Amino acid sequence: MSRPPDLPDAVAVPRKRWRIQWIWLVPVVAVLIGIWLAVQAVLSQGPTITIQFKTGEGLEAGKTKIKFKDVDIGVVKKVALSRDYKNVVATAELTRDATDMLVDDTRFWVERPRIAGGNVSGISTLLSGAFIGMDIGHAKQERRAYVGLETPPVFASDVPGREFVLHAENLASLDVGSPVYFRRLRVGQVTSFELDKNGGGVTLHIFVNAPYDQYVKSDSRFWEAGGIDVSLGTEGVKINTQSLVSILIGGLAFETPSSSLTEPEAQVRTSFTLFPTRTEALKVQDRIVDTYVLDFKQSVRGLTVGAPVDFRGIVIGEVSGIYTRFDPVTKEISIPVEIKFYPERFTARHEEPSEGRLVTDPKAVADYLVSRGFRAQLRTGSLLTGQLYISFDFFQHAPQAKIDWSRTPPELPTEPSGLQSLQDSVNRIVARIDKLPLEQIGKNTQQTFANASALLQSLNTQVVPQAKSALSAAQTTLNTANSALQPDSALQQDTGDAIRELARTAASFRALSDYLQQHPEALLRGKPGDAK
């Protein structure tokens, strides 16, 4: 078969090499830039944390910011309920620069408008909206899951100062943010409070700012400064208060006794007792406290726990408990009163007391005092309120008594009060009256009255008629005398003539006497006219 003449011959052409087109450089560069941006985004992305709150008020995903010193350092990405539906968990993303801030004691809270303890905070959130505040801790351990605070902290962790702990019977008018005063200057605030586990009191935490924290000594005294402290003394009425703010919102103050100013500064979180008033806070703190019991047979109405125990006007203790006791032997009910006795006050000296007791054998001293008539007695402290107190003194006629040191606490002898002694005297008189034979005395009295009645009857029948006759004769005599004494009676006229005659006779005798004094010879010779 022959090839057609019109077909050309095939010629082998060598294969060309592959070349990169410039058009492909654009997507390649775009991919590289995207990868670089993604790596940069991953490298610059900050940590993600979770914060647990009791409520989601003010939290909004994608809008709620996290701020530190008013600088945005993160944003909330997600808000959801916890698995037990009791709390709200906010997931937030922070900037990379905030990584070192996330330590174990870092604190978070939702900043909202609040008014507490006289302090107003979060007013700016009324316009800008709520945000999560942050305070950096000092721990070294990192953390990513937190429990947010329900209220903002009173002070930031970087504020200089020290925190102290106070123990009180009740919270009174204090609150978080209540001021702390020193010499009427506001030097700190209450940071938190909580009820003791046993329910017997309240524990408060306060923060004293620097440099005022250096004045808190180990023997400093704290007291409630809210309200007005009014005291009545020999110098008149005294009114003490820290400021008008403390009257309205409460507060507390502290002071250090002059004898303790040289003591070292108190350490952080040192515990102190919070007293209700300044007077109680600055009382001498007794280092030695003895417990005794006083057994009273009388009513203790008006005696309260805390009532003073004094010796001739000097307080040497206080009442710590009042109970009742039934004696199965005597079948009597008594009132045992427990007292706290401060021996350092009873044996105080002008010099500073040394450590320990001031006497070597306190039991021997107590036995000696009791043998000399040292007794406890209930006395009235106020006639208006009827309050009682316990007074120790020496009673010379008190019966002999001894202290039984084997009992815990030992019992000191007592003496009935003046009113009780009067009542006992009245009871003894009544008992003696009860012993009198009142029935026999009544019968004798009745017989005496019968005899007296018979005597009066006899007098009425026998003596009275004779007395009437005698009175009639006496009346007749008086009438006769009255008639004779009338001015126009004959007796009166005769009596007048006799008196005039006696007057003339007396005048004659007086004239004769005068003549004889002048002429005594007339007694022998007679008158010259008689010789003729």
Side-chain angles (χ1 to χ4, degrees), residues 146-161:
Y146 296 90
V147 176
L149 303 177
E150 293 304 313
T151 58
V154 179
F155 63 96
S157 58
D158 57 349
V159 174

Side-chain angles (χ1 to χ4, degrees), residues 470-486 489 491:
L471 290 174
S472 298
Q475 185 66 34
T476 302
T477 304
L478 289 174
N479 292 335
T480 302
N482 188 30
S483 299
L485 293 175
Q486 290 297 323
S489 64
L491 179 61

Side-chain angles (χ1 to χ4, degrees), residues 4 33 157 246 316 328 332 366 421:
I33 293 175
S157 58
S246 66
I316 59 175
E332 293 182 351
S421 300

Side-chain angles (χ1 to χ4, degrees), residues 85-254:
Y85 306 109
K86 294 182 179 180
N87 299 296
V88 174
V89 179
T91 303
E93 183 178 315
L94 277 68
T95 61
R96 185 176 180 83
D97 297 336
T99 303
D100 297 336
M101 302 179 181
L102 302 176
V103 293
D104 189 61
D105 54 349
T106 297
R107 298 177 291 183
F108 294 91
W109 66 93
V110 178
E111 190 68 45
R112 310 184 187 96
R114 287 185 177 88
I115 300 177
N119 296 326
V120 180
S121 61
I123 298 298
S124 60
T125 59
L126 293 175
L127 300 176
S128 62
F131 62 89
I132 297 179
M134 177 182 177
D135 181 52
I136 303 176
H138 301 284
K140 300 298 182 181
Q141 184 179 358
E142 295 184 357
R143 187 176 177 181
R144 293 296 182 268
Y146 296 90
V147 176
L149 303 177
E150 293 304 313
T151 58
V154 179
F155 63 96
S157 58
D158 57 349
V159 174
R162 281 179 292 174
E163 186 178 7
F164 303 100
V165 181
L166 304 180
H167 298 282
E169 293 184 358
N170 52 69
L171 187 60
S173 58
L174 300 175
D175 196 0
V176 174
S178 295
V180 178
Y181 294 96
F182 176 70
R183 301 192 182 279
R184 299 181 184 268
L185 295 175
R186 182 166 181 169
V187 298
Q189 55 276 327
V190 177
T191 60
S192 64
F193 59 85
E194 58 184 355
L195 184 68
D196 294 344
K197 293 182 179 180
N198 58 2
V202 178
T203 300
L204 299 95
H205 297 266
I206 66 171
F207 184 82
V208 179
N209 302 319
Y212 306 106
D213 57 337
Q214 63 179 319
Y215 302 113
V216 181
K217 309 292 184 177
S218 58
D219 193 30
S220 294
R221 315 290 173 80
F222 290 81
W223 67 88
E224 299 172 12
I228 301 176
D229 184 11
V230 181
S231 61
L232 178 62
T234 57
E235 300 179 356
V237 179
K238 292 184 178 180
I239 301 177
N240 295 320
T241 183
Q242 294 298 320
S243 66
L244 181 61
V245 175
S246 66
I247 298 177
L248 299 177
I249 66 174
L252 56 91
F254 72 92

Side-chain angles (χ1 to χ4, degrees), residues 181 299 374 411 428 442:
Y181 294 96
S299 173
F374 190 69
E411 182 178 324
R428 287 194 295 269

Side-chain angles (χ1 to χ4, degrees), residues 256-500:
T256 303
S258 57
S259 59
S260 304
L261 294 177
T262 57
E263 293 188 0
E265 300 177 9
Q267 299 296 323
V268 178
R269 292 186 170 273
T270 300
S271 297
F272 297 92
T273 299
L274 180 61
F275 295 92
T277 61
R278 180 178 183 272
T279 303
E280 295 187 19
L282 296 181
K283 283 182 179 179
V284 177
Q285 302 298 315
D286 300 277
R287 294 166 295 180
I288 303 176
V289 180
D290 294 335
T291 303
Y292 292 95
V293 169
L294 308 174
D295 194 31
F296 293 101
K297 299 295 191 298
Q298 65 191 86
S299 173
V300 295
R301 183 179 179 85
L303 185 69
T304 58
V305 175
V309 177
D310 77 353
F311 172 71
R312 297 180 178 177
I314 300 176
V315 178
I316 59 175
E318 63 181 12
V319 176
S320 59
I322 303 175
Y323 313 96
T324 57
R325 179 171 60 190
F326 176 74
D327 192 342
V329 178
T330 60
K331 308 298 182 182
E332 293 182 351
I333 297 178
S334 60
I335 310 296
V337 177
E338 184 181 273
I339 65 171
K340 299 296 184 181
F341 180 73
Y342 309 126
E344 289 178 308
R345 299 187 188 182
F346 188 74
T347 55
R349 303 178 303 181
H350 293 290
E351 295 81 6
E352 191 71 20
S354 59
E355 294 293 334
R357 295 182 178 272
L358 300 178
V359 293
T360 56
D361 192 354
K363 293 183 179 180
V365 174
D367 289 334
Y368 173 75
L369 294 177
V370 170
S371 65
R372 293 288 303 275
F374 190 69
R375 301 289 187 271
Q377 186 183 56
L378 285 174
R379 294 183 180 178
T380 302
S382 174
L383 295 177
L384 296 177
T385 62
Q387 292 181 342
L388 300 179
Y389 70 97
I390 296 177
S391 176
F392 276 93
D393 210 334
F394 292 94
F395 298 87
Q396 296 181 356
H397 302 289
Q400 291 294 324
K402 292 184 179 180
I403 303 177
D404 185 4
W405 296 104
S406 62
R407 303 182 63 175
T408 304
E411 182 178 324
L412 297 177
T414 61
E415 181 75 10
S417 64
L419 183 61
Q420 183 66 27
S421 300
L422 178 60
Q423 184 177 353
D424 294 340
S425 300
V426 173
N427 292 336
R428 287 194 295 269
I429 293 174
V430 172
R432 291 181 180 178
I433 293 175
D434 290 338
K435 294 180 180 179
L436 294 176
L438 297 180
E439 185 176 357
Q440 185 64 33
I441 294 175
K443 291 180 179 180
N444 295 338
T445 304
Q446 187 176 6
Q447 184 64 34
T448 302
F449 284 144
N451 296 336
S453 179
L455 178 60
L456 292 175
Q457 185 67 23
S458 176
L459 292 174
N460 189 33
T461 56
Q462 298 179 8
V463 178
V464 171
Q466 297 178 2
K468 287 183 178 181
S469 300
L471 290 174
S472 298
Q475 185 66 34
T476 302
T477 304
L478 289 174
N479 292 335
T480 302
N482 188 30
S483 299
L485 293 175
Q486 290 297 323
D488 56 349
S489 64
L491 179 61
Q492 285 288 341
Q493 294 177 1
D494 294 341
T495 303
D497 294 341
I499 291 173
R500 285 191 292 272

